[in-house]
Amino acid sequence: ECDHCVYVITQIKEHADQFQAIQVLLITTAEHDTLKQFVPNQGLDRFDQIKVLRCDPNHYEETFGNSVFPTFYLYNNSGQLL
């Protein structure tokens, strides 16, 4: 778990009522076993609008470009990237 990710997730959860019309996708290269623990430990399974997705580390850069990860993408209810 990276401290930055935990901080941002905490902020998103604290303000989840403001994200009702926004889907939050958390993209990571963490292993499945790590995610199985991380999602419930962070309480992310309680929020329909927050999804944690795994991207194979070998395909991350070609899919998302050269960016830091996990990466946070915010979409509005029309599917538009904010």
Side-chain angles (χ1 to χ4, degrees):
E1 294 180 15
C2 78
D3 292 337
H4 171 74
C5 299
V6 172
Y7 174 79
V8 172
I9 289 168
T10 300
Q11 293 300 306
I12 290 171
K13 291 187 311 185
E14 286 179 9
H15 302 283
D17 59 323
Q18 298 172 3
F19 292 107
Q20 292 303 313
I22 298 173
Q23 183 177 28
V24 180
L25 301 177
L26 306 174
I27 312 295
T28 183
T29 59
E31 295 297 326
H32 290 286
D33 290 340
T34 301
L35 290 177
K36 286 180 183 179
Q37 294 176 0
F38 184 80
V39 171
N41 287 349
Q42 294 298 317
L44 296 173
D45 49 351
R46 296 178 295 158
F47 299 93
D48 291 334
Q49 73 271 33
I50 301 174
K51 304 293 181 202
V52 180
L53 306 174
R54 183 183 185 280
C55 182
D56 185 306
N58 297 320
H59 297 103
Y60 186 88
E61 190 170 327
E62 71 184 55
T63 304
F64 297 104
N66 188 12
S67 62
V68 297
F69 53 90
T71 299
F72 301 87
Y73 293 95
L74 300 176
Y75 291 85
N76 66 14
N77 59 356
S78 298
Q80 298 170 318
L81 181 63
L82 301 175

